[in-house]
Amino acid sequence: MTEKLLQYLWNYKIFKHFDFKDIEGNSVEIIHFGKWNKDAGPDFLEAKIKISGLVLAGNIELHVRSSDWIFHNHSQDPNYQNVILHVIFQHDIEVSDLTGKNVPTLELKDYIDENILWKYERLLNGSEFIACEKIFNQSKIPVHFHEGNILKKLAEKSQELEQSLAQYKNNFEAVLFHSLAYSFGLKVNAHIFRQIAESIDFSIINKIRQNPLQLEALFFGISGWLGHPEDRQMEIWKREFEFVSIKFNISGLQFHPKFLRLRPPNFPTIRLSQLADLYSRQQHLFSKIIEAKNADQLYELFNAVKASEYWDFHFNFGTLSKFNPKILSKNFIDLLILNTVLPLKYTYHTYHNEETADEIIAFYSSIAAEENSVVTGWKNLGVPIQNAMESQSLIYHYKTSCEEKNCLTCSIGFKLLKES
């Protein structure tokens, strides 16, 4: 038993029966169980009980053992002066401070189904893909589970984007550029690519974006790759980078993207070239994203993007490879739309107090589901995953609930724990 589980059972009233008696044998009627307090102070506020013919209103504190009241120094804490009931799992000692104030103690050990304790212990100690794997049943997934997860994820992402917007004076185009750079970097170079993007004033991007050679040279130069040219093309990029640096007074700060453990198509050389091509092709990219009414219109913005001609025969500087145009794959475009475009589109409409939830959900529903180890794990449990709304929902749920074993705040876990 943990205090967290005890609070959970009290909040959702999961007991074998409610004929409660305190440790003195007096009947205790819980008129109102109180409001679960996740902050400092008593665990449940504004509760109401009836005992010995008296109705008491105040707060309720829960502990695994009655002695925890002493260990937690509640007697000296003024926040606990209005406690009307001490609820415990197991009574081990008398607490003189409580008996002196006639605060009853309710022991719950005999009111809790042992099957719940067994299940919870299994959840905490399990090492499977998800803690509830052995008792999981996909029929326990609540109605609108996926829509709810997507909206939670968008709300969290929107908070991050709003902080960026405040920093960059509500320049949505600049924040889009930073966010896209992050996505182009994938896991290995995401933060480095964002640093590269944020180190360049977006007004400079706007001024040179019609010259893809200069834009590509700018990205490569800030990455520290042009110090010692290995071929004619690198000499050209170096010349252009030096010109742009002088013209726009760009600092000598450099960032160094990583190549380790990356497949060649994901090398930072290729991804930065593709990012440069995207911004050379698409003027007013943010406006076009906002105007898009369906996923097909979003795909049109990215479908033609490719690394420059040099990269048709290279993955890295100076080393020739077989002819292979480096276009954006469908899967990569999906990632850009799901992780960058739609969250920013949602934030923009929220910022302008426009209802957009149904529209954004429709975008997610029209995009194919991702394929990764987490999605595969859910599929192995019999969960049907037909589109990106469902895959994104389950990935989000896995990261926020399953990985952290937050089974007590999980809507699926609630059903599994409650049922025998």
Side-chain angles (χ1 to χ4, degrees), residues 60-98:
I60 295 175
E61 177 68 3
L62 279 70
H63 288 123
V64 176
R65 291 169 294 274
S66 47
S67 57
D68 289 339
W69 179 277
I70 299 171
F71 295 144
H72 295 172
N73 294 316
H74 290 330
S75 296
Q76 287 74 42
D77 191 333
N79 290 318
Y80 293 84
Q81 297 306 305
N82 194 31
V83 169
I84 59 171
L85 180 65
H86 189 209
V87 177
I88 57 174
F89 177 70
Q90 185 173 7
H91 181 56
D92 58 349
I93 66 168
E94 294 286 342
V95 181
S96 58
D97 181 61
L98 295 175

Coordinates of all heavy atoms in Angstrom, one line a residue, residues 60-98:
I60 N -9.6 16.3 5.5 CA -9.3 14.9 5.8 C -7.9 14.6 5.4 O -7.5 15.0 4.3 CB -10.3 13.9 5.1 CG1 -11.7 14.1 5.6 CG2 -9.8 12.5 5.3 CD1 -12.7 13.2 4.9
E61 N -7.1 14.0 6.2 CA -5.7 13.6 5.9 C -5.6 12.1 5.9 O -6.2 11.4 6.8 CB -4.8 14.2 7.0 CG -3.3 13.8 6.8 CD -2.7 14.4 5.6 OE1 -3.3 15.2 4.9 OE2 -1.5 14.1 5.3
L62 N -4.9 11.6 4.9 CA -4.7 10.2 4.7 C -3.3 9.8 4.9 O -2.3 10.5 4.5 CB -5.2 9.7 3.3 CG -6.7 9.5 3.1 CD1 -7.4 10.8 3.1 CD2 -6.9 8.8 1.8
H63 N -3.0 8.6 5.5 CA -1.7 8.1 5.7 C -1.8 6.6 5.6 O -2.8 6.0 5.8 CB -1.1 8.4 7.1 CG -0.7 9.9 7.2 ND1 -1.2 10.7 8.2 CD2 0.1 10.7 6.5 CE1 -0.7 11.9 8.1 NE2 0.1 11.9 7.0
V64 N -0.6 6.0 5.3 CA -0.6 4.5 5.3 C -0.7 4.0 6.7 O -1.4 3.0 7.0 CB 0.7 4.0 4.6 CG1 0.9 2.5 4.7 CG2 0.8 4.4 3.2
R65 N 0.0 4.6 7.7 CA 0.0 4.2 9.1 C -0.4 5.4 9.9 O 0.0 6.6 9.5 CB 1.3 3.6 9.5 CG 1.7 2.3 8.9 CD 3.1 1.9 9.2 NE 4.0 2.8 8.5 CZ 4.4 2.7 7.2 NH1 4.0 1.6 6.5 NH2 5.2 3.5 6.7
S66 N -1.0 5.2 11.0 CA -1.4 6.4 11.9 C -0.1 7.1 12.4 O -0.2 8.3 12.6 CB -2.2 5.9 13.1 OG -1.7 4.7 13.7
S67 N 1.0 6.4 12.6 CA 2.2 7.0 13.0 C 2.8 8.0 12.0 O 3.6 8.9 12.4 CB 3.3 6.0 13.4 OG 3.5 5.2 12.2
D68 N 2.4 8.0 10.8 CA 2.9 8.9 9.8 C 2.5 10.3 10.1 O 3.2 11.3 9.7 CB 2.3 8.5 8.4 CG 3.0 7.3 7.8 OD1 4.1 6.9 8.3 OD2 2.4 6.6 6.9
W69 N 1.4 10.5 10.9 CA 1.0 11.9 11.3 C 2.2 12.5 12.1 O 2.5 13.7 11.9 CB -0.3 11.8 12.2 CG -0.7 13.1 12.7 CD1 -0.3 13.8 13.8 CD2 -1.7 14.0 12.1 NE1 -0.9 15.0 14.0 CE2 -1.8 15.1 12.9 CE3 -2.5 13.9 11.0 CZ2 -2.7 16.2 12.6 CZ3 -3.4 14.9 10.7 CH2 -3.5 16.0 11.5
I70 N 2.8 11.7 13.0 CA 3.9 12.2 13.8 C 5.1 12.4 12.9 O 5.8 13.4 13.0 CB 4.2 11.2 14.9 CG1 2.9 11.1 15.8 CG2 5.4 11.7 15.7 CD1 3.0 10.0 16.9
F71 N 5.4 11.4 12.1 CA 6.6 11.5 11.2 C 6.6 12.7 10.3 O 7.6 13.3 10.0 CB 6.8 10.2 10.4 CG 7.1 9.0 11.3 CD1 6.6 7.7 11.0 CD2 7.8 9.1 12.5 CE1 6.8 6.6 11.8 CE2 8.1 8.0 13.3 CZ 7.6 6.7 12.9
H72 N 5.4 13.1 9.9 CA 5.3 14.2 9.0 C 5.1 15.5 9.7 O 4.9 16.6 9.0 CB 4.1 14.0 8.0 CG 4.2 12.8 7.1 ND1 3.2 12.3 6.3 CD2 5.3 12.0 6.9 CE1 3.6 11.3 5.6 NE2 4.9 11.0 6.0
N73 N 5.2 15.5 11.0 CA 5.1 16.7 11.8 C 3.9 17.6 11.6 O 3.9 18.8 11.5 CB 6.4 17.6 11.6 CG 7.7 17.0 12.0 OD1 7.7 16.4 13.1 ND2 8.7 17.0 11.2
H74 N 2.7 16.9 11.4 CA 1.5 17.6 11.2 C 1.0 18.4 12.4 O 0.3 19.4 12.3 CB 0.4 16.7 10.7 CG 0.7 16.1 9.3 ND1 1.4 16.9 8.3 CD2 0.3 15.0 8.7 CE1 1.4 16.2 7.2 NE2 0.8 15.0 7.4
S75 N 1.3 17.9 13.6 CA 0.8 18.5 14.8 C 1.3 20.0 14.9 O 0.6 20.8 15.5 CB 1.3 17.7 16.0 OG 0.7 16.4 16.0
Q76 N 2.5 20.3 14.4 CA 3.0 21.6 14.5 C 2.7 22.5 13.3 O 3.0 23.7 13.2 CB 4.6 21.6 14.6 CG 5.1 21.1 16.0 CD 4.9 19.6 16.2 OE1 5.2 18.8 15.3 NE2 4.5 19.3 17.4
D77 N 2.0 21.9 12.3 CA 1.7 22.6 11.1 C 0.3 23.2 11.2 O -0.7 22.5 11.3 CB 1.8 21.6 9.9 CG 1.7 22.3 8.6 OD1 1.2 23.4 8.5 OD2 2.3 21.8 7.6
P78 N 0.1 24.5 11.1 CA -1.2 25.2 11.2 C -2.1 24.8 10.0 O -3.4 24.9 10.2 CB -0.9 26.7 11.1 CG 0.5 26.8 10.5 CD 1.2 25.5 10.9
N79 N -1.6 24.2 8.9 CA -2.5 23.8 7.8 C -3.3 22.6 8.2 O -4.3 22.3 7.5 CB -1.6 23.5 6.6 CG -1.0 24.7 6.0 OD1 -1.6 25.7 5.8 ND2 0.3 24.6 5.6
Y80 N -3.0 21.9 9.3 CA -3.7 20.7 9.6 C -4.5 20.9 10.9 O -5.0 19.9 11.5 CB -2.7 19.6 9.8 CG -2.0 19.2 8.6 CD1 -0.8 19.9 8.1 CD2 -2.4 18.1 7.8 CE1 -0.2 19.5 6.9 CE2 -1.8 17.8 6.6 CZ -0.7 18.5 6.2 OH -0.1 18.1 5.0
Q81 N -4.8 22.1 11.2 CA -5.6 22.4 12.4 C -7.1 22.1 12.2 O -7.8 21.9 13.2 CB -5.4 23.8 12.9 CG -3.9 24.1 13.3 CD -3.4 23.1 14.4 OE1 -4.0 22.9 15.4 NE2 -2.3 22.4 14.1
N82 N -7.5 22.1 11.0 CA -8.9 21.9 10.7 C -9.2 20.5 10.1 O -10.2 20.3 9.4 CB -9.4 22.9 9.7 CG -11.0 23.0 9.6 OD1 -11.6 22.7 10.6 ND2 -11.5 23.3 8.5
V83 N -8.4 19.5 10.5 CA -8.6 18.1 10.1 C -9.7 17.5 11.0 O -9.7 17.6 12.2 CB -7.3 17.3 10.2 CG1 -7.6 15.8 10.1 CG2 -6.3 17.7 9.2
I84 N -10.7 16.9 10.3 CA -11.9 16.4 11.0 C -11.8 14.8 11.1 O -12.6 14.2 11.8 CB -13.2 16.8 10.4 CG1 -13.3 16.4 9.0 CG2 -13.4 18.3 10.6 CD1 -14.7 16.7 8.3
L85 N -10.9 14.3 10.2 CA -10.9 12.8 10.2 C -9.5 12.4 9.7 O -8.9 12.9 8.7 CB -11.9 12.2 9.2 CG -12.0 10.7 9.0 CD1 -12.4 10.0 10.3 CD2 -12.9 10.3 7.9
H86 N -8.9 11.4 10.4 CA -7.6 10.9 10.0 C -7.9 9.5 9.4 O -8.3 8.6 10.1 CB -6.7 10.8 11.2 CG -5.3 10.4 10.9 ND1 -4.4 9.7 11.7 CD2 -4.5 10.6 9.8 CE1 -3.3 9.5 11.2 NE2 -3.3 10.1 10.0
V87 N -7.6 9.4 8.1 CA -7.9 8.1 7.4 C -6.6 7.4 7.2 O -5.6 8.0 6.6 CB -8.6 8.3 6.1 CG1 -8.8 7.0 5.3 CG2 -10.0 9.0 6.3
I88 N -6.5 6.1 7.6 CA -5.3 5.4 7.5 C -5.5 4.0 6.9 O -6.7 3.5 6.9 CB -4.6 5.2 8.9 CG1 -5.6 4.5 9.8 CG2 -4.1 6.6 9.4 CD1 -5.0 4.2 11.2
F89 N -4.5 3.4 6.4 CA -4.6 2.0 6.0 C -4.5 1.0 7.2 O -5.2 0.1 7.3 CB -3.6 1.6 4.9 CG -3.7 0.2 4.5 CD1 -4.7 -0.3 3.7 CD2 -2.6 -0.7 4.8 CE1 -4.8 -1.6 3.3 CE2 -2.7 -2.0 4.4 CZ -3.8 -2.5 3.6
Q90 N -3.5 1.3 8.0 CA -3.3 0.4 9.1 C -3.0 1.3 10.4 O -2.2 2.2 10.4 CB -2.1 -0.5 8.8 CG -1.8 -1.5 9.9 CD -0.7 -2.5 9.5 OE1 -0.1 -2.3 8.4 NE2 -0.5 -3.5 10.3
H91 N -3.6 0.9 11.5 CA -3.5 1.6 12.8 C -2.3 1.0 13.5 O -2.4 -0.2 13.9 CB -4.8 1.6 13.6 CG -4.7 2.3 14.9 ND1 -4.4 3.6 15.0 CD2 -4.9 1.8 16.2 CE1 -4.4 3.9 16.3 NE2 -4.7 2.9 17.0
D92 N -1.3 1.8 13.8 CA -0.1 1.2 14.6 C 0.1 1.8 15.9 O 0.5 1.2 16.9 CB 1.1 1.2 13.7 CG 1.5 2.6 13.3 OD1 0.7 3.5 13.5 OD2 2.7 2.8 12.8
I93 N -0.3 3.1 16.1 CA -0.1 3.8 17.4 C -1.2 4.8 17.6 O -1.8 5.3 16.6 CB 1.3 4.5 17.5 CG1 1.4 5.6 16.6 CG2 2.4 3.5 17.4 CD1 2.6 6.6 16.8
E94 N -1.5 5.1 18.8 CA -2.4 6.2 19.2 C -1.6 7.5 18.9 O -0.5 7.7 19.3 CB -2.8 6.1 20.6 CG -3.7 4.9 20.9 CD -5.1 5.1 20.4 OE1 -5.5 6.2 20.1 OE2 -5.8 4.0 20.3
V95 N -2.3 8.5 18.4 CA -1.7 9.8 18.1 C -2.4 10.8 19.1 O -3.6 11.1 19.0 CB -1.9 10.3 16.7 CG1 -1.3 11.7 16.5 CG2 -1.3 9.3 15.7
S96 N -1.7 11.1 20.2 CA -2.3 11.8 21.3 C -2.8 13.2 20.9 O -3.8 13.7 21.4 CB -1.2 12.0 22.4 OG -0.1 12.7 21.9
D97 N -2.1 13.8 19.9 CA -2.6 15.1 19.4 C -4.0 15.0 18.8 O -4.8 15.9 19.0 CB -1.6 15.6 18.3 CG -2.0 17.0 17.8 OD1 -2.1 18.0 18.6 OD2 -2.3 17.1 16.6
L98 N -4.3 13.9 18.1 CA -5.6 13.7 17.5 C -6.6 13.3 18.6 O -7.8 13.8 18.5 CB -5.5 12.7 16.4 CG -4.7 13.1 15.2 CD1 -4.5 11.9 14.2 CD2 -5.2 14.3 14.5

